[in-house]
Amino acid sequence: MSSILNNLFIELKHGVERHENRPLLKCAMAACALVAEADGVVSFSERVCLDNILETLEALKIFNPHEGVNLFNGFVDDIRADPVKGRLKALKAISDVGPSRKTAELLMKV
């Protein structure tokens, strides 16, 4: 019985962490999309870097990497469809996280 409660507690904790860090995931993927799409081509090496970011940054490890890649692809698609609106959407996702030292440090790592 205690193992069931322990598993439920762990799942709840992970769910709360994912909910709290979701804006951070969107922010990081928007920043990656802006950088990757800056030259008009998202290269294979840039996608490998994206995978490494999702697998190594502690705050983003709690997410399924496919979720991050899908967000990244969405931002890239938006930028390609309408560069001005797409970039504004990505910048909004970055600003939605708000000014915090932790976020700024994470974006610098990204």
Side-chain angles (χ1 to χ4, degrees):
M1 182 70 168
S2 69
S3 69
I4 292 172
L5 290 176
N6 190 36
N7 289 341
L8 286 173
F9 176 75
I10 290 170
E11 274 301 310
L12 178 63
K13 181 181 173 191
H14 285 240
V16 168
E17 287 175 350
R18 281 190 296 272
H19 176 72
E20 289 175 348
N21 286 334
R22 177 109 175 115
L24 189 59
L25 175 67
K26 284 182 75 173
C27 172
M29 295 303 98
C32 288
L34 285 168
V35 171
E37 187 57 32
D39 64 355
V41 177
V42 178
S43 68
F44 178 74
S45 64
E46 289 169 326
R47 290 191 177 275
V48 169
C49 286
L50 178 69
D51 289 340
N52 287 335
I53 288 166
L54 291 168
E55 293 172 1
T56 59
L57 289 177
E58 200 61 41
L60 302 181
K61 280 184 180 181
I62 59 174
F63 294 99
N64 181 329
H66 297 292
E67 187 175 355
V69 170
N70 289 340
L71 283 169
F72 171 81
N73 288 337
F75 284 116
V76 168
D77 291 344
D78 289 344
I79 292 169
R80 287 179 178 166
D82 187 333
V84 173
K85 287 183 183 178
R87 284 184 175 88
L88 286 174
K89 182 178 176 182
L91 290 171
K92 175 148 178 25
I94 293 169
S95 69
D96 282 349
V97 176
S100 83
R101 183 180 176 103
K102 178 182 174 184
T103 303
E105 288 173 356
L106 177 69
L107 284 178
M108 292 306 294
K109 289 178 184 178
V110 169

